[in-house]
Amino acid sequence: MPYYLSFQYSAIQKTILRHHRLWWMAGTSLTLSRLNEIDLPDIAGKNRGKVLVAGGGKFTVKFEAQQDAQQCLEETKKLVATTLPMLEFQACLGEGDNLKQAWEKGKNDSPGLREQIQSQKAGFRGYGLTFNPHLQRCDECGEYPAVAGKGISQGEKKPEICSLCYEMGSASRIDKNSLTGNMTTLEKIYSRYFEKKQEHLPAEIPANFEDLFQKSDNEDKGRKRMAVWASDINNMNDKVPVWLAQDEDKIKETFDEVKQIFIDSTVNALINTGFSPVSRDNGKKYLPFRIIVAGGDDLCLVMDEKYVLDFATNLSKAVNEALAGLADDHPLNISWIEARKSDIRKRDPQRMIKPTEPYGFGASFVVTPVHSPFSRLHALGELLMNEAKEKTGRKANSVNWRIIGDEADVSSELLKFEKPVFIEPGSERPADWSGLDLSDYQALCARHKLSNSQVQQLAAWLFAYSGQPDALEKQIIKRASSEHDKNYSCLLLEEKFREKSADNGPGKLIPARLATFLELMSLPGSKRNE
């Protein structure tokens, strides 16, 4: 009877966001991906195992001999515990005629893989390390002993760091010339990007936040704000069980096909966004973006704020085009999935199986000064992304955002905004949805020209006349007669800023829509700023 090894990671985000350095987060994420997609499958192969799942924080292997399964389990736990000692994980073995049987129930009614995993999650997770107090602690994390001779250059300062920080710093520096052979999902994205953008080959992949921005003569006083992007594909929970229910020989191939679609979509979005390498004072050029997480259907990257609106639009287009072009027998094709669900219903009429929901992604971006604590930004991004998913009913690609920072921002808890928004028109909407799409706002930013002082003036009126659209309109009309402020008249004539009127006359202004327009206009990547 076959044996199955099930290995899962817990608290992945907590591990990656343990420290706020870009090189730490990028290096830890890439190390984790390499463990899951390359190193652990290598261990399984050496122990005569067949990999079924390797990605998205899960690793499942089939063995014919218990001794091979046990050996692989021990080697896997040792490698993960020594590579990332702070990472929480669960690992167990199960026996069954197939994966489903081993997952649900063990031999002689012993706990199956599912029950073992849940039991481990409820108990002690991860490994703790201690060290003698008289040893010098790492200058970066302060958690492990510093190692003499190991450091990360920071101008004239070269702090002594622990082996873990040193390894993560090394892992974060991707050599674009070595992006060949067996690569992680993240490395495949960079490899394809450079393959299609040969003119960017001289550019380095940034490992520090400052390298996202052009060096200025007075950099300390210059505006350096980054956008932290996070996105996640909707409605995957009703599809993964169908893929796992296939013959075991097809499971890994299926997940590889699914992963490739998301790799292609991300690459195409990056290509079409038109990133321009930046020059730094060390004489090097860098890409103005850095991917932190790219595994399964999750994506997290940082970029110069001026690119984030175009990236949102391009990712939406790339995902929609990829899904529209799926072959009939592709495992992501909803018709293919529904056919498999129909077979399951015939075999088990009592089993409740929900209809397959459409694809799409929920996303968020947070615009912030470059040295803001990243873990807080990521937590905020997760909340915004979940809000985008919930409020749009997971119907299509949507995005939510928050702009934090300098005095030029009009974002505030005191103003009501029209967000989240769908990114593109044409897809299904909830029955009570009446908001504009991100593409509508982009068009408005391109069509209406306002100075910074006018943006601030309109924002002040929105504060002063909160909940009073008629009073707000009277104030704008009063100022629109001025030669200096005559472009206010164009705002008053814009139908998209008004409610629909039953008598075909001008409806009331929608203050939340006007506030959203002003907020997006404040971004240097809006069409108004080109």
Side-chain angles (χ1 to χ4, degrees):
M1 183 177 290
Y3 292 84
Y4 294 87
L5 181 156
S6 180
F7 189 95
Q8 295 187 14
Y9 302 114
S10 293
I12 294 176
Q13 292 183 6
K14 183 173 75 174
T15 300
I16 294 174
L17 304 177
R18 193 178 182 90
H19 306 298
H20 296 302
R21 298 275 196 182
L22 178 57
W23 58 261
W24 167 273
M25 294 180 290
T28 305
S29 176
L30 189 56
T31 298
L32 184 56
S33 295
R34 182 168 288 277
L35 279 172
N36 204 174
E37 299 180 44
I38 297 176
D39 297 337
L40 297 190
D42 283 348
I43 291 176
K46 292 174 183 177
N47 287 282
R48 292 168 289 281
K50 180 179 180 180
V51 178
L52 302 181
V53 179
K58 295 178 175 58
F59 181 63
T60 306
V61 191
K62 177 182 179 180
F63 297 90
E64 296 301 329
Q66 183 178 15
Q67 182 178 355
D68 292 336
Q70 188 65 46
Q71 180 66 23
C72 183
L73 176 65
E74 296 305 318
E75 291 181 18
T76 295
K77 290 166 62 176
K78 179 179 179 181
L79 177 63
V80 174
T82 54
T83 303
L84 293 173
M86 78 296 292
L87 179 65
E88 300 176 7
F89 62 82
Q90 300 81 47
C92 59
L93 295 178
E95 186 179 7
D97 293 330
N98 50 53
L99 176 59
K100 181 181 178 182
Q101 186 183 91
W103 181 254
E104 298 295 342
K105 195 173 184 180
K107 185 178 181 181
N108 298 324
D109 292 330
S110 60
L113 292 172
R114 183 206 300 274
E115 187 176 344
Q116 292 185 61
I117 291 289
Q118 293 301 324
S119 176
Q120 290 182 29
K121 281 186 176 182
F124 176 76
R125 298 189 290 180
Y127 288 76
L129 299 183
T130 60
F131 54 88
N132 293 329
H134 65 272
L135 295 177
Q136 179 181 339
R137 296 192 181 192
C138 172
D139 284 337
E140 283 293 341
C141 70
E143 298 174 357
Y144 301 106
V147 178
K150 288 189 174 181
I152 295 177
S153 297
Q154 295 178 355
E156 297 181 358
K157 181 185 178 183
K158 189 176 182 180
E160 289 192 339
I161 60 177
C162 64
S163 293
L164 186 61
C165 284
Y166 181 81
E167 294 299 329
M168 295 308 104
S170 299
S172 71
R173 288 161 174 81
I174 301 174
D175 181 1
K176 58 185 178 297
N177 296 316
S178 64
L179 291 172
T180 58
N182 199 9
M183 295 181 287
T184 65
T185 298
L186 190 151
E187 289 170 320
K188 289 176 181 177
I189 292 172
Y190 274 121
S191 177
R192 289 282 308 282
Y193 180 84
F194 283 121
E195 180 184 320
K196 292 190 173 186
K197 298 286 284 186
Q198 289 288 320
E199 68 272 23
H200 288 181
L201 274 175
E204 303 287 333
I205 299 169
N208 294 302
F209 288 117
E210 291 80 1
D211 292 335
L212 296 169
F213 304 91
Q214 194 80 26
K215 175 66 177 179
S216 64
D217 293 335
N218 194 359
E219 188 172 77
D220 291 338
K221 294 183 180 179
R223 167 170 164 155
K224 292 192 298 182
R225 297 198 310 180
M226 63 181 179
V228 181
W229 174 273
S231 56
D232 176 61
I233 300 295
N234 295 324
N235 304 318
M236 293 295 283
N237 289 339
D238 64 337
K239 301 171 180 65
V240 172
V242 177
W243 298 332
L244 291 174
Q246 298 179 95
D247 293 339
E248 291 178 356
D249 292 343
K250 296 180 180 179
I251 292 177
K252 187 175 186 302
E253 178 185 348
T254 294
F255 279 93
D256 287 344
E257 288 184 77
V258 172
K259 192 186 302 180
Q260 190 61 49
I261 290 292
F262 298 130
I263 290 174
D264 293 342
S265 299
T266 304
V267 171
N268 290 336
L270 293 171
I271 292 292
N272 293 328
T273 298
F275 292 102
S276 297
V278 299
S279 299
R280 297 292 294 165
D281 56 349
N282 59 7
K284 293 184 178 181
K285 288 188 174 182
Y286 293 90
L287 296 176
F289 70 89
R290 174 67 197 236
I291 304 170
I292 295 179
V293 176
D297 58 346
D298 294 329
L299 181 65
C300 177
L301 67 156
V302 293
M303 66 187 78
D304 186 327
E305 62 172 336
K306 67 183 180 182
Y307 295 108
V308 71
L309 293 179
D310 281 344
F311 179 76
T313 300
N314 289 322
L315 184 62
S316 179
K317 289 180 178 178
V319 169
N320 287 340
E321 289 172 1
L323 295 174
L326 293 175
D328 292 341
D329 60 348
H330 195 283
L332 273 171
N333 191 303
I334 290 181
S335 297
W336 183 92
I337 294 172
E338 275 299 313
R340 299 303 178 281
K341 286 185 176 181
S342 177
D343 292 339
I344 295 173
R345 293 187 187 99
K346 290 177 182 178
R347 293 195 301 268
D348 188 0
Q350 303 301 318
R351 185 173 177 180
M352 295 296 294
I353 301 178
K354 296 181 180 179
T356 306
E357 297 291 337
Y359 291 101
F361 63 76
S364 69
F365 64 85
V366 180
V367 175
T368 176
V370 69
H371 292 299
S372 301
F374 195 90
S375 59
R376 295 182 184 178
L377 302 178
H378 190 269
L380 174 59
E382 288 286 307
L383 290 174
L384 294 171
M385 180 173 65
N386 290 333
E387 185 180 10
K389 288 170 171 277
E390 293 299 327
K391 288 191 174 182
T392 60
R394 293 178 167 83
K395 296 293 185 181
N397 303 331
S398 61
V399 64
N400 201 359
W401 64 88
R402 182 75 57 83
I403 298 177
I404 305 170
D406 57 40
E407 295 178 355
D409 295 332
V410 298
S411 178
S412 170
E413 294 292 336
L414 300 176
L415 276 179
K416 183 178 180 181
F417 296 89
E418 185 178 74
K419 54 185 180 181
V421 299
F422 286 99
I423 298 176
E424 293 184 277
S427 54
E428 185 182 354
R429 301 286 190 266
D432 58 349
W433 191 267
S434 61
L436 298 183
D437 299 324
L438 183 63
S439 59
D440 293 320
Y441 281 112
Q442 282 282 69
L444 289 171
C445 288
R447 190 155 59 239
H448 298 283
K449 308 301 179 184
L450 299 173
S451 66
N452 287 335
S453 62
Q454 288 172 332
V455 169
Q456 295 304 310
Q457 181 63 75
L458 283 169
W461 291 337
L462 284 166
F463 280 118
Y465 302 107
S466 176
Q468 305 174 61
D470 292 336
L472 173 64
E473 183 169 359
K474 287 180 181 179
Q475 185 64 47
I476 298 175
I477 291 173
K478 187 185 301 182
R479 289 293 296 271
S481 59
S482 165
E483 180 66 23
H484 175 70
D485 294 323
K486 62 182 181 180
N487 48 0
Y488 284 159
S489 300
C490 298
L491 297 181
L492 294 172
L493 294 172
E494 178 61 65
E495 291 183 359
K496 289 187 180 296
F497 288 136
R498 296 182 177 275
E499 298 176 354
K500 290 185 177 180
S501 174
D503 58 2
N504 295 323
K508 286 189 176 183
L509 281 178
I510 306 175
R513 192 166 291 177
L514 190 59
T516 305
F517 159 73
L518 294 179
E519 183 179 50
L520 292 177
M521 181 175 275
S522 73
L523 290 175
S526 68
K527 299 297 183 183
R528 166 242 189 179
N529 288 284
E530 289 185 348

